[in-house]
Amino acid sequence: MSIGCIYALVALGFVLIYKATEVVNFAQGELMMLGAFLAYTFISILGWNYWAGAAAAIFCMFFIGNFVDRIFLRPVLGQPQFSIVMVTIGFGYMARSGAGMIPGWGTETYAISTPFSSEGMNLVPESVGSLVISQTDLSVIIATVILCAVLYAFFTHTRLGIAMQASSQNQLAAYYMGIPVKAVFSMIWGISAAVAAAAGILLAPTTLIDTSMGFIGLKAFPAAVLGGFGSIPGAVVGGLIIGIIETLAGFYLPPGFKNVAAYVVLLVVLVVRPQGLFGQKTGKRV
Amino acid sequence: MSFFKAENLAINFGGVKAVDGVNFEINKGECFTIIGPNGAGKTTIFNLISRIYDSTEGKMTFDGQDITKVPPHAIASLGIARTFQNIELFEHASVLQNLLVGRHCHSKTNIFSELAFTPSMRRTEIAHREKVEEVIDFLDLQHYRESLIMNLPYGVRKVVELGRALCTEPKLILLDEPSSGLNVEETQDMSFWIDDIKKDLGITVLMVEHDMGLVSEVSDQVLVLNYGRMLAFGSPQDVQNDPEVIKAYLGE
Amino acid sequence: MRFLFKTDYDQDIRIAKHSGYYWSYGLLLLIVIAAPYFLEGYYIGQMTQLYIIAMAGVGLMLLAGYTGLVSLGHAAFFGIGAYTEAVLTSNGVPLPFVEEPVIFPFVISMPLAAIFAALAGVAIGVPVLRLTGIYLAIATFAFALVIEEILSRWESVTNGYTGLLVESLYIGDTELTDGAPFYFLCLGLLVLVILMSINLLRSPTGRAMMAIRDSEVSAQSMGVNLARVKTTAFALSAGITGLAGALFAHKLGFLSPESFTVFQSLELLVLVVVGGIGSLHGAIFGAIFVLALPQGLAILKDYLPTAIAETPGMEPFIFGLILVLVIIFEPYGIYGRWLKIKHYFQMFPVYKKATFKRQKAYMKSERLK
């Protein structure tokens, strides 16, 4: 369940960027990794309070995301989607190996100490039954719910959110309507990076931090596709489903299936219903 | 027996009736024009004929054959070619290559002879090129022969697209707003070409057009659509004087 | 500046556009044929690897560069080709009516490897015919991950992570899969593949592929059967990559699933992009880049302060950086730059920078309902 939430959060980052800029960010996992490392720096190296460190990491990642957009993506704005995707892949390479080069981070594995215990606690009264969940997992679930709600409200109810949707559909028209498209894009990258950082921090107690933790980002593809690329609630539901499928495959199927179960689901979804669960069917007009 | 016939043609897009019970017949060798305000369903009819969309209801016959269920890629070899409203050329290819793609429906080579480029392959290839050169001569495209489409001005692209449709050696050609985006002079050229296509090449023309000048110059029959329904039908002059049509265009 | 006057249809069809081509490519061919006689063994090995990677690059170029179907899973076809070759020539296959497992000679096993990969290409290509763009990339990506898992788990055939030893091949007493003979085998096959690709691209199917890349709707209206051409492109591309994989199996001599991961897929895609998307030259240039980069960095390391030179991860970092820089500054890759330089000298001294200037582009969504 909690791993599903992590997938959901990373998928959410994908979807945010895709929804607003129509770019599929292959470096989403790397953003998450950077966020986790920043949190590690603040909390474990500098010895800050957990909450302050996490907040600072998320805050920093907002600016890093912004920065990434300005440096790497603005020059290719309006180029074919494929080139932009390649840029994010290139950035992924750089982030992954770059993080390994930073002193103090390196290629080893680290842990962040959290205020959440991994002990189980019962959520429902004993008379009803038992639903045991660890505090760590609970924190992941709660954080996911809050983040999703905030983002959903942002996209549907604020001017900036609507401007973001507009600029994704037609950049030129959005310019004419007075939307600062480039600034909006940088903003969305910032937000997405911040979400990724949150995912990274939440993931840290479960899987530990290292430079290759970004690969979990690849697992978020099935989640995003399952939910229908471009749908925020879809990403969350997709993430949860993928998490559950993986856990079940781990239990009931021979080893090896756990790793690929998500991708098999992804292939099936793409073949049967490419628009995903919540996506809209699209076609080019002539 | 009419050349092309649409009977009770209809299509719904999620409840919206884009085309609703349209009937018309085109005679061989004439220029048939569909006009109507924006969103009247003109291009949708084209997309139905070229089988990009499936019709919800109705039947289309072309040259004595039912084409309502023919797969979209088979339409060209039956003899129907089309152009697009917003130009759908192959941007990264040269004019020559674009026109050669127009010959695709006449090529019957298999992949192995293509990989080996056998002598018979070479012969058919040269035959295709001869045909393409004829079209290039016809439309005066010699100058742009080797240019990439993405470097060409809009007006020339329109002509190239017309040429690509002609390369399929169609019996019926569908022109979707041939004059949109063209200046007065280019529109005049276009009108001559449409006339030549009709008279010299003997190709039947079905056209969607807004420019009434062009319409009255080249059309034999005009069909007026509004909200997917037929509003009026007749010669260009009749239609222009029809009170219903004037109302649809100018309002009450 | 050379002007071409065309007087014959053959001139448009011919591979060489003018006599200069015979000289330049003839010279290149002479050099690569003579190479084993004056180069050291190490460099011959590198050149051989270059040809193999270039062949895989040509395979992906046909699909990604010419048909516009971006595959993020070409390592899967590469791997299928390699494992097929290894199993057929080393372990052999138990067949009915034969007591010993049959070991195939390479003249049969290599085409079989290519065919197997092509079939795999069809197997993934057909279900995803409806997909384009990023969805297709993700689907092929998932496919490659599944294949990778199969390669590591199907231990009775692939030996899993323990690895599979590939036997050397012999014709008479000469070893075919090493040194100069292998060099010529790879070179010959690469030239063959390139010639076939050129032939394809000047034929109806090749043009149909380019038509699909630029506009599916109008390709369809011109009579292009989208399903058939896309499947053909997938099969050819996978087949060529599989053939390259078969050669690669002998080059490595030892196969394990780690050689065919998502990173190899990405590397192939980078090869295509950095080399110059949409040109066969690009595949060759890209292969040179992918191979030369680590070498170049190794040389560079000697001149850098140890603190930087010893840092792990330098190579992927530079790799990513170059990829980003190429896309930002030279969207047509090394081949694009090559054309510009050539053009500069042809037009000297009246070269205009604006000749290749890009128009300002605005992205328009294709998601319209």
Side-chain angles (χ1 to χ4, degrees):
Chain A
M1 191 67 178
S2 69
I3 190 71
C5 282
I6 298 292
Y7 293 157
L9 279 179
V10 184
L12 203 59
F14 274 126
V15 168
L16 280 176
I17 291 183
Y18 183 74
K19 208 171 162 63
T21 66
E22 275 208 2
V23 170
V24 175
N25 178 16
F26 271 76
Q28 193 68 26
E30 275 65 40
L31 289 177
M32 182 183 86
M33 180 267 295
L34 287 180
F37 263 107
L38 279 175
Y40 164 75
T41 314
F42 291 134
I43 298 166
S44 300
I45 300 184
L46 300 178
W48 294 10
N49 174 287
Y50 177 79
W51 297 104
I58 292 175
F59 193 67
C60 285
M61 278 312 290
F62 177 79
F63 284 102
I64 290 179
N66 225 307
F67 191 67
V68 168
D69 180 59
R70 264 163 224 261
I71 303 271
F72 294 105
L73 289 137
R74 204 166 275 186
V76 288
L77 191 69
Q79 297 301 313
Q81 198 192 28
F82 168 64
S83 336
I84 307 181
V85 169
M86 290 305 287
V87 169
T88 66
I89 291 177
F91 169 72
Y93 268 102
M94 289 168 70
R96 213 161 34 240
S97 44
M101 286 194 259
I102 292 176
W105 291 11
T107 44
E108 272 131 69
T109 308
Y110 304 96
I112 303 180
S113 49
T114 64
F116 311 113
S117 71
S118 54
E119 274 167 41
M121 52 184 222
N122 205 340
L123 285 181
V124 287
E126 302 227 346
S127 52
V128 181
S130 69
L131 181 60
V132 180
I133 191 165
S134 72
Q135 275 193 358
T136 319
D137 289 350
L138 189 65
S139 70
V140 171
I141 294 169
I142 292 175
T144 309
V145 171
I146 294 174
L147 268 172
C148 292
V150 170
L151 287 171
Y152 191 68
F154 173 74
F155 258 104
T156 44
H157 292 296
T158 63
R159 274 178 69 94
L160 186 58
I162 292 165
M164 284 174 179
Q165 297 214 24
S167 24
S168 80
Q169 305 236 330
N170 189 336
Q171 287 178 1
L172 194 56
Y175 272 122
Y176 288 155
M177 299 311 290
I179 297 171
V181 175
K182 291 179 179 172
V184 164
F185 280 9
S186 299
M187 191 66 136
I188 202 82
W189 270 83
I191 295 175
S192 176
V195 172
I201 295 165
L202 292 170
L203 184 63
T206 335
T207 63
L208 305 176
I209 304 174
D210 63 47
T211 45
S212 61
M213 76 189 281
F215 292 129
I216 211 164
L218 301 178
K219 280 274 173 60
F221 276 128
V225 170
L226 184 61
F229 247 91
S231 155
I232 290 181
V236 176
V237 176
L240 292 180
I241 295 177
I242 294 293
I244 292 168
I245 288 175
E246 245 191 29
T247 318
L248 290 181
F251 268 123
Y252 296 109
L253 293 174
F257 280 93
K258 183 169 185 284
N259 296 338
V260 291
Y263 298 105
V264 174
V265 172
L266 167 68
L267 278 176
V268 172
V269 170
L270 280 175
V271 170
V272 178
R273 194 180 153 84
Q275 70 269 34
L277 294 176
F278 296 89
Q280 290 156 331
K281 203 170 179 178
T282 56
K284 197 180 161 197
R285 238 169 105 162
V286 284
Chain B
M1 185 70 212
S2 58
F3 189 56
F4 180 91
K5 191 172 177 186
E7 291 166 89
N8 199 26
L9 207 56
I11 183 170
N12 296 348
F13 289 119
V16 181
K17 288 183 172 168
V19 174
D20 188 8
V22 171
N23 293 290
F24 61 91
E25 283 183 37
I26 305 170
N27 300 315
K28 199 170 172 94
E30 72 175 357
C31 175
F32 189 101
T33 305
I34 303 177
I35 63 168
N38 288 327
K42 306 176 297 281
T43 300
T44 310
I45 290 188
F46 271 29
N47 287 343
L48 284 171
I49 298 176
S50 50
R51 299 284 300 112
I52 296 173
Y53 297 151
D54 281 318
S55 58
T56 330
E57 260 180 72
K59 191 180 167 193
M60 295 178 288
T61 34
F62 170 69
D63 214 5
Q65 196 182 349
D66 185 351
I67 60 160
T68 325
K69 293 276 178 274
V70 170
H73 58 83
I75 288 290
S77 39
L78 287 175
I80 302 179
R82 73 171 287 183
T83 66
F84 295 83
Q85 195 173 343
N86 297 318
I87 303 188
E88 291 283 336
L89 284 168
F90 312 121
E91 293 266 317
H92 301 281
S94 68
V95 170
L96 191 64
Q97 281 172 319
N98 267 273
L99 296 181
L100 279 167
V101 174
R103 299 295 304 163
H104 191 89
C105 58
H106 294 283
S107 54
K108 292 175 191 67
T109 48
N110 69 49
I111 184 77
F112 298 104
S113 63
E114 286 177 350
L115 288 175
F117 216 77
T118 54
S120 75
M121 175 73 214
R122 181 179 292 270
R123 277 195 299 278
T124 55
E125 190 67 4
I126 288 176
H128 286 322
R129 280 167 195 271
E130 277 168 6
K131 185 70 204 165
V132 165
E133 293 306 325
E134 279 173 28
V135 173
I136 290 181
D137 278 346
F138 178 72
L139 294 176
D140 273 334
L141 283 171
Q142 294 88 343
H143 185 65
Y144 304 104
R145 211 165 165 274
E146 310 280 330
S147 328
L148 294 185
I149 299 297
M150 55 190 213
N151 301 328
L152 291 179
Y154 195 85
V156 181
R157 294 187 198 199
K158 269 300 232 241
V159 180
V160 174
E161 207 184 22
L162 178 65
R164 190 181 60 181
L166 286 178
C167 282
T168 65
E169 293 180 79
K171 295 179 217 157
L172 172 68
I173 189 166
L174 316 180
L175 305 176
D176 200 346
E177 303 199 12
S179 81
S180 72
L182 300 185
N183 63 28
V184 181
E185 205 178 315
E186 288 167 333
T187 309
Q188 197 56 48
D189 285 344
M190 190 56 87
S191 129
F192 288 138
W193 275 320
I194 295 175
D195 225 37
D196 283 349
I197 289 170
K198 192 175 79 174
K199 297 205 176 105
D200 298 352
L201 304 180
I203 298 170
T204 312
V205 180
L206 172 59
M207 156 169 107
V208 163
E209 184 52 65
H210 281 296
D211 183 335
M212 281 315 287
L214 179 63
V215 171
S216 25
E217 249 170 74
V218 299
S219 320
D220 300 302
Q221 300 196 76
V222 178
L223 171 74
V224 190
L225 286 184
N226 197 18
Y227 296 112
R229 291 176 164 279
M230 291 159 58
L231 200 63
F233 175 69
S235 73
Q237 286 72 28
D238 292 348
V239 164
Q240 268 171 316
N241 299 326
D242 189 302
E244 284 288 316
V245 177
I246 296 169
K247 208 168 86 183
Y249 270 94
L250 299 176
E252 293 291 337
Chain C
M1 178 88 199
R2 185 197 290 260
F3 289 97
L4 295 177
F5 295 102
K6 296 196 176 163
T7 50
D8 188 358
Y9 292 118
D10 261 337
Q11 273 179 304
D12 271 338
I13 299 177
R14 213 174 282 154
I15 294 176
K17 289 213 191 75
H18 54 75
S19 59
Y21 281 61
Y22 292 113
W23 288 107
S24 49
Y25 287 97
L27 188 65
L28 181 67
L29 202 61
L30 270 183
I31 291 175
V32 291
I33 288 176
Y37 301 104
F38 60 81
L39 280 184
E40 287 171 41
Y42 172 76
Y43 291 105
I44 294 177
Q46 287 292 307
M47 296 275 279
T48 312
Q49 191 159 355
L50 172 73
Y51 298 149
I52 295 172
I53 293 177
M55 192 188 298
V58 169
L60 183 57
M61 189 65 87
L62 283 181
L63 193 66
Y66 285 99
T67 323
L69 304 171
V70 176
S71 162
L72 267 178
H74 252 54
F77 306 126
F78 202 55
I80 290 171
Y83 270 96
T84 311
E85 172 74 7
V87 169
L88 290 182
T89 57
S90 307
N91 290 11
V93 181
L95 288 181
F97 312 117
V98 191
E99 296 211 347
E100 297 267 303
V102 177
I103 293 182
F104 287 80
F106 80 99
V107 271
I108 299 178
S109 69
M110 281 195 186
L112 272 179
I115 289 169
F116 261 61
L119 287 179
V122 173
I124 181 65
V126 169
V128 298
L129 279 178
R130 283 194 292 166
L131 305 178
T132 47
I134 204 68
Y135 284 91
L136 181 80
I138 294 175
T140 49
F141 178 78
F143 172 75
L145 283 168
V146 173
I147 292 290
E148 190 190 326
E149 197 67 25
I150 292 175
L151 289 183
S152 57
R153 297 281 169 181
W154 195 10
E155 290 182 357
S156 59
V157 174
T158 66
N159 233 2
Y161 281 109
T162 330
L164 189 63
L165 208 64
V166 187
E167 304 283 340
S168 307
L169 300 179
Y170 292 92
I171 295 181
D173 282 337
T174 33
E175 191 185 347
L176 182 65
T177 47
D178 193 31
F182 194 48
Y183 175 91
F184 284 118
L185 178 68
C186 293
L187 177 64
L189 285 174
L190 175 66
V191 171
L192 183 73
V193 161
I194 291 179
L195 282 179
M196 280 186 355
S197 305
I198 294 173
N199 281 341
L200 180 73
L201 292 173
R202 54 183 178 154
S203 318
T205 306
R207 286 193 296 264
M209 281 160 57
M210 287 184 257
I212 288 177
R213 175 188 65 191
D214 288 351
S215 166
E216 280 196 10
V217 237
S218 66
Q220 202 172 29
S221 299
M222 292 301 125
V224 174
N225 185 339
L226 295 185
R228 195 161 82 197
V229 174
K230 280 185 181 179
T231 311
T232 310
F234 251 107
L236 269 179
S237 170
I240 293 174
T241 311
L243 182 62
L247 293 171
F248 193 59
H250 292 297
K251 175 77 189 143
L252 282 184
F254 182 76
L255 295 183
S256 84
E258 286 133 21
S259 314
F260 308 101
T261 59
V262 176
F263 285 98
Q264 269 62 40
S265 297
L266 279 181
E267 197 171 281
L268 275 177
L269 203 56
V270 171
L271 178 161
V272 166
V273 171
V274 172
I277 194 132
S279 72
L280 290 174
H281 288 89
I284 314 291
F285 283 126
I288 295 174
F289 164 77
V290 167
L291 268 189
L293 182 72
Q295 308 274 340
L297 284 179
I299 297 169
L300 201 66
K301 265 182 189 167
D302 298 339
Y303 298 95
L304 285 175
T306 33
I308 300 176
E310 293 304 311
T311 333
M314 191 65 179
E315 196 183 306
F317 186 81
I318 302 280
F319 195 70
L321 185 68
I322 291 182
L323 173 62
V324 170
L325 292 178
V326 163
I327 293 173
I328 294 178
F329 295 109
E330 191 65 81
Y332 291 102
I334 302 175
Y335 181 60
R337 176 55 58 182
W338 165 256
L339 280 186
K340 281 178 201 176
I341 294 170
K342 212 164 103 176
H343 192 73
Y344 178 85
F345 284 108
Q346 282 176 344
M347 296 299 285
F348 191 80
V350 288
Y351 178 75
K352 299 196 297 284
K353 219 177 168 184
T355 313
F356 291 100
K357 198 161 170 57
R358 272 187 285 168
Q359 278 188 335
K360 198 168 171 57
Y362 294 96
M363 187 194 64
K364 250 180 121 169
S365 171
E366 291 202 346
R367 290 190 293 197
L368 297 171
K369 266 177 280 172

